[in-house]
Amino acid sequence: MPSLRYCPQCASSKFKQVDVKQWACEQCQFSYFHNMASTAGALLIFEDELLLVERAINPQKGYWDLPGGFIEYGESLEQGLQRELNEELGLELAAENFRYFGSFANQYSYNQVLYHTCDSFFVYHLNNRVSLQARDDVAAWQWHSLKNIPFERVAFKSVKQGLMQLSQQNQNTLYK
């Protein structure tokens, strides 16, 4: 996080970092909290394959990721994931059919700001190969065997953790 030098409320230079996520003004007592952001990613599975998307932007441009992204104000995790799937792939899936898989802590560095995130993952079993379009911040998409996930080219620690957990579980009993 870049240094915040002036209080957003009174413009005093007595705006100091208290701890890893809090800044406070010694003059007007205003406090700012740089809290964790929420994200949601989709584990889209068809038969024994998982859909991964190639990132079109930094951080980690060119690496594999799950489709999904940051949750906006007023959205549930499922609603945000539904919106992100439409924005990134032109995919419309019913939010009520997402099955919660798990969550992992992550760090996302963008424009010299380090965001701490809680990345939640949801499983969605597809009945057929759907028509997809690489849009928004997705450069390409590709189906990968659940037995051969390219971990060395996965963008984020949280996604690697989720994919490792997925690959260790019995797909026949967990997802059917």
Side-chain angles (χ1 to χ4, degrees):
M1 179 83 188
S3 177
L4 299 174
R5 296 185 187 132
Y6 300 99
C7 176
Q9 184 166 294
C10 73
S12 167
S13 63
K14 295 183 181 207
F15 194 61
K16 307 292 181 201
Q17 189 167 1
V18 175
D19 59 34
V20 69
K21 67 177 183 175
Q22 182 185 7
W23 284 257
C25 180
E26 295 171 356
Q27 185 162 322
C28 73
Q29 283 67 53
F30 174 79
S31 287
Y32 168 74
F33 292 89
H34 191 69
N35 290 317
M36 182 175 281
S38 299
T39 73
L43 296 160
L44 298 175
I45 299 172
F46 175 68
E47 295 179 356
D48 66 343
E49 293 183 317
L50 172 73
L51 183 76
L52 294 177
V53 296
E54 180 185 340
R55 292 185 57 79
I57 62 170
N58 278 316
Q60 303 290 59
K61 180 179 179 178
Y63 281 75
W64 293 115
D65 199 357
L66 294 174
F70 285 93
I71 304 305
E72 294 182 359
Y73 294 142
E75 289 181 328
S76 69
L77 293 170
E78 295 85 355
Q79 289 167 335
L81 183 55
Q82 184 180 40
R83 174 188 47 75
E84 286 284 346
L85 289 171
N86 185 271
E87 289 174 5
E88 293 181 348
L89 297 169
L91 189 57
E92 293 193 24
L93 298 177
E96 61 269 9
N97 292 332
F98 292 124
R99 281 188 51 202
Y100 178 75
F101 180 76
S103 65
F104 302 89
N106 195 29
Q107 293 181 351
Y108 187 91
S109 181
Y110 182 74
N111 212 14
Q112 299 180 344
V113 177
L114 180 63
Y115 296 92
H116 292 267
T117 63
C118 181
D119 299 344
S120 301
F121 302 120
F122 293 84
V123 171
Y124 195 104
H125 251 295
L126 297 166
N127 294 325
N128 53 37
R129 287 201 187 234
V130 292
S131 176
L132 302 170
Q133 306 162 12
R135 310 189 309 190
D136 195 32
D137 53 359
V138 170
W141 53 268
Q142 191 173 70
W143 292 97
H144 292 266
S145 167
L146 287 167
K147 296 176 184 169
N148 195 23
I149 296 171
F151 289 105
E152 70 283 352
R153 295 288 301 164
V154 172
F156 301 105
K157 180 180 115 180
S158 61
V159 175
K160 286 180 189 176
Q161 289 174 306
L163 293 176
M164 284 182 184
Q165 184 174 316
L166 176 69
S167 69
Q168 292 171 357
Q169 296 181 3
N170 180 342
Q171 285 74 5
N172 291 332
T173 59
L174 182 61
Y175 303 116
K176 300 291 179 186

